[in-house]
Amino acid sequence: MNTQASFRKELSRFPAPVAAELEDHLIEEYDRQIRAGTPPEAARRGALATLGDLRDVGEELSRRQVSWVWCFRDTPALLKILVVGWVLIGLFCLLRIVQHHAQCCTPALDAMSSWSFGVCLVLGLGGALVSLMLLRRSEVWRCVAMVFFAVTALGFLLQGAVVAFLPFLLPIESALLLCFAMIAGLSAWLTGRSRLKHAFA
Amino acid sequence: MQFSKDMVAAFARPAILCLLRQGESYGYEIIQKVKELSNGEIQWTDGMLYPILHRLEEEELIQSRWGESETGRKRKYYSLTKHSTPAIDQYRMQWTTLNEFLAPLWATQKP
């Protein structure tokens, strides 16, 4: 693996603008050390050392990352599908909530409606928010998202498997949500496993 | 000489602004300039500079653009904004006042 690829690997967990800026720094420092006669491996390690704790620096810069467009452009296709899909589900749920309130003459909701309302709110809108936050690629949010999607997927699988134990039917399309929950879990795992390794190391 | 993170942050803001007054620059070059100017006296972790640069950008005291290095690599260049000059003047006054306040105290201090 060449040096630039090795730096890229180290920086792969950060948003592209942050990674690009730090990569430029690392390569400049590496080149300087090579010119000074340092052996390549020592120069590589030396360049990384100049930034201090790379994870801390990258995380701090990632938190300050303001451009959503940048983040979205650099997001893997699977994650883009997830974010767009879940935002659509969120909008659909919002529509359901609005429709429900328009039809309901009293603010009090019966047990079934309350459950539907809660599911729409938590899974639809919550999921949309969580998936949007995935674009920020903050370590905390990625963990939150992974747990959220894993629980959602598990919940829907359980509902399918032991529907007799659940005395309700979700008013929103379960198959669609299950599908997205599974895509979500998979993509979060694919893009987040290195971060989780760090988080639990 | 090693400085604490807070001290570096306090000093780095006016230093970066003053250095950028000479023209747009990028993170690594700014760090090298600081090292050169201090004859290596001021030692800091390079990683400490980037959050300060980003904070200055958020506060619109500097702005950035993406360009390319000589080798075609993506590079983020920083430059001053219209808000920079008043901020530099303010920093100069503050640091001068602090220096004037501390100078006689250092002088009267027993070894």
Side-chain angles (χ1 to χ4, degrees):
Chain A
M1 190 190 294
N2 70 27
T3 312
Q4 191 165 3
S6 132
F7 288 145
R8 280 209 179 138
K9 196 178 168 200
E10 296 274 355
L11 298 166
S12 63
R13 73 191 93 142
F14 306 125
V18 172
E21 186 170 25
L22 295 180
E23 183 188 313
D24 183 44
H25 177 102
L26 290 172
I27 292 172
E28 285 276 299
E29 179 60 23
Y30 174 82
D31 288 346
R32 189 190 67 78
Q33 293 203 21
I34 290 290
R35 281 196 302 273
T38 313
E41 181 51 28
R44 192 190 73 82
R45 276 186 274 112
L48 282 168
T50 59
L51 283 177
D53 188 331
L54 188 61
R55 192 177 153 204
D56 280 355
V57 176
E59 282 296 323
E60 185 163 355
L61 296 184
S62 303
R63 272 199 298 275
R64 295 184 174 279
Q65 197 50 244
V66 287
S67 168
W68 290 82
V69 178
W70 247 112
C71 295
F72 191 78
R73 198 167 52 179
D74 189 56
T75 299
L78 201 58
L79 211 58
K80 276 183 191 166
I81 294 170
L82 160 76
V83 173
V84 171
W86 214 294
V87 168
L88 289 176
I89 291 174
L91 289 174
F92 173 73
C93 288
L94 191 65
L95 193 69
R96 292 292 295 254
I97 292 171
V98 171
Q99 273 178 346
H100 178 88
H101 277 283
Q103 286 163 4
C104 199
C105 49
T106 60
L109 302 170
D110 57 26
M112 183 79 168
S113 308
S114 299
W115 175 257
S116 307
F117 182 82
V119 167
C120 280
L121 209 61
V122 174
L123 289 190
L125 297 180
L129 182 69
V130 165
S131 57
L132 272 175
M133 291 312 290
L134 270 179
L135 295 180
R136 309 298 283 185
R137 297 203 204 175
S138 122
E139 191 163 315
V140 174
W141 271 106
R142 191 169 296 274
C143 289
V144 169
M146 287 181 74
V147 171
F148 178 89
F149 293 132
V151 169
T152 307
L154 192 68
F156 278 98
L157 283 173
L158 278 176
Q159 191 205 10
V162 287
V163 76
F165 290 99
L166 300 169
F168 51 80
L169 284 172
L170 295 178
I172 44 182
E173 285 70 5
S174 301
L176 187 66
L177 270 178
L178 172 61
C179 181
F180 267 111
M182 292 180 81
I183 293 174
L186 182 67
S187 52
W189 178 72
L190 283 175
T191 54
R193 63 186 192 278
S194 63
R195 301 169 68 83
L196 275 188
K197 232 187 304 179
H198 278 279
F200 296 114
Chain B
M1 189 184 292
Q2 284 285 356
F3 288 87
S4 71
K5 200 174 172 180
D6 291 340
M7 191 80 172
V8 169
F11 144 83
R13 290 170 65 93
I16 289 167
L17 290 174
C18 287
L19 286 170
L20 286 177
R21 217 157 37 172
Q22 297 166 11
E24 75 169 5
S25 188
Y26 55 97
Y28 186 81
E29 194 178 51
I30 295 170
I31 292 169
Q32 295 310 308
K33 278 182 188 168
V34 172
K35 283 180 180 167
E36 260 175 48
L37 288 171
S38 71
N39 292 322
E41 278 292 307
I42 299 171
Q43 289 175 21
W44 58 10
T45 317
D46 297 354
M48 288 161 87
L49 176 94
Y50 288 96
I52 298 169
L53 279 170
H54 285 221
R55 223 169 294 150
L56 285 169
E57 194 182 357
E58 272 175 25
E59 293 168 22
E60 295 182 358
L61 292 178
I62 59 173
Q63 60 193 357
S64 69
R65 69 167 180 92
W66 284 95
E68 278 190 356
S69 68
E70 313 77 48
T71 53
R73 211 169 43 243
K74 248 187 268 180
R75 176 169 284 167
K76 196 174 183 182
Y77 288 94
Y78 294 94
S79 58
L80 296 183
T81 67
K82 60 179 179 181
H83 305 297
S84 310
T85 309
I88 293 171
D89 291 343
Q90 200 179 4
Y91 278 129
R92 190 193 296 124
M93 279 193 294
Q94 287 170 347
W95 279 92
T96 307
T97 307
L98 285 175
N99 189 41
E100 282 169 359
F101 170 75
L102 284 171
L105 293 176
W106 300 137
T108 55
Q109 200 157 33
K110 288 177 186 172

